[in-house]
């Protein structure tokens, strides 16, 4: 039996998955793998080529030209698109929505799947996304479904923007979050669902430290089983 332990964290947009996963990674010494960043980098390529995220035929034609790789510097994930570090270029709301559309395509998902599974096969990882517990890592030792009310998630996103000196309309952010949830949950390929063996954690009324402590406790119990 392999000693590798994988932790899968899934949930809707803005549930705090990446913030929590990064802190949990620091606490456990596991590698944090942000799969959303991989889909975002691929979508950035499409946008630069003026390919619509729903144009399956055009996407299929360029998929072989897209190389997504992950590197780590001081524990931080760097996602590279054809060798270019795109970490700072993939975080806009527009890329978020386009990524949600592009990631519906089976060919896009298949392309990133083996990269995700290979990392998890050889490393203890905390991997977050939409289909990690349900599809990418069905045997993960720990599965968490992290969620919060749409209004709370929108408010947190709005605060994040404000802290960066950007302004946003909280109602508009909530509308886009709901739109993205619907698209991610209703798609045919690997929709966002809570895996039957995942633990549901609703963070609507929790602060970051409480969520990290809750997840760490779930991990500790599972690791000792
Ligand atoms: O987690 P995020 O906001 O960075 O994800 C952006 C989009 O990528 C999300 O709306 C759907 C897609 N995605 C996916 O389909 N599967 C994953 N494992 C991760 C993200």
């Amino acid at each position: 039996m392999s000693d590798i332990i994988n932790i899968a964290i899934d949930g809707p947009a803005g549930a705090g998955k990446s913030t929590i996963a990064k802190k949990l990674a620091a606490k456990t010494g596991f590698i944090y793998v942000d799969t959303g960043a991989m889909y975002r980098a691929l979508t950035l390529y499409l946008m630069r080529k003026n390919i619509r995220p729903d144009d399956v035929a055009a996407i299929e034609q360029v998929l072989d030209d897209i190389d997504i790789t992950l590197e780590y510097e001081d524990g931080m994930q760097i996602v590279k698109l054809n060798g270019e570090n795109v970490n700072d270029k993939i975080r806009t709301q527009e890329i978020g929505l386009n990524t949600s559309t592009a990631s519906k395509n089976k060919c896009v998902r298949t392309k990133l799947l083996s990269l995700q599974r290979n990392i998890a096969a050889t490393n203890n990882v905390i991997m977050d996304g939409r289909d990690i517990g349900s599809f990418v890592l069905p045997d993960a030792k720990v599965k968490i479904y992290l969620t919060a009310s749409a209004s709370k998630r929108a408010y947190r996103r709005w605060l994040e923007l404000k802290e960066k000196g950007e302004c946003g309309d909280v109602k508009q952010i909530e509308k886009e979050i709901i739109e993205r949830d619907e698209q991610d949950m209703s798609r045919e390929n690997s929709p966002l669902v809570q895996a039957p063996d995942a633990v549901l954690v609703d963070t609507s009324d929790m602060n970051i430290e409480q969520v990290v402590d809750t997840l760490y406790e779930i991990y500790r119990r599972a690791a000792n089983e």
Side-chain angles (χ1 to χ4, degrees), residues 13 17 34-37 39-40 91 96 99-100 103 109 116 128-132 157 180 184 187:
K17 298 186 296 293
D34 172 359
T35 63
Y39 285 98
R40 283 172 185 262
R91 291 289 150 207
T99 303
S100 174
S103 64
R109 309 202 67 80
Q116 294 163 3
D128 82 7
R130 302 293 186 286
D131 59 339
I132 310 305
R157 270 277 151 91
R180 196 130 75 86
D184 293 344
R187 69 183 177 214

Side-chain angles (χ1 to χ4, degrees), residues 39-40 42-43 46-47 51-56 59 93-109 130 179-184 187-189:
Y39 285 98
R40 283 172 185 262
L42 190 149
T43 305
L46 302 178
M47 289 166 73
I51 296 173
R52 285 205 335 266
D54 60 351
D55 189 343
V56 186
I59 294 174
Q93 287 279 109
E94 188 195 8
I95 293 194
L97 269 179
N98 283 338
T99 303
S100 174
T101 303
S103 64
K104 291 202 270 185
N105 298 321
K106 193 161 175 89
C107 60
V108 167
R109 309 202 67 80
R130 302 293 186 286
E179 197 182 321
R180 196 130 75 86
D181 287 354
E182 276 169 9
Q183 184 153 253
D184 293 344
R187 69 183 177 214
E188 194 180 328
N189 301 306

Side-chain angles (χ1 to χ4, degrees), residues 150-161:
S151 60
K152 273 279 162 67
R153 289 184 281 134
Y155 177 67
R156 289 176 190 160
R157 270 277 151 91
W158 176 83
L159 266 186
E160 252 171 43
L161 285 175

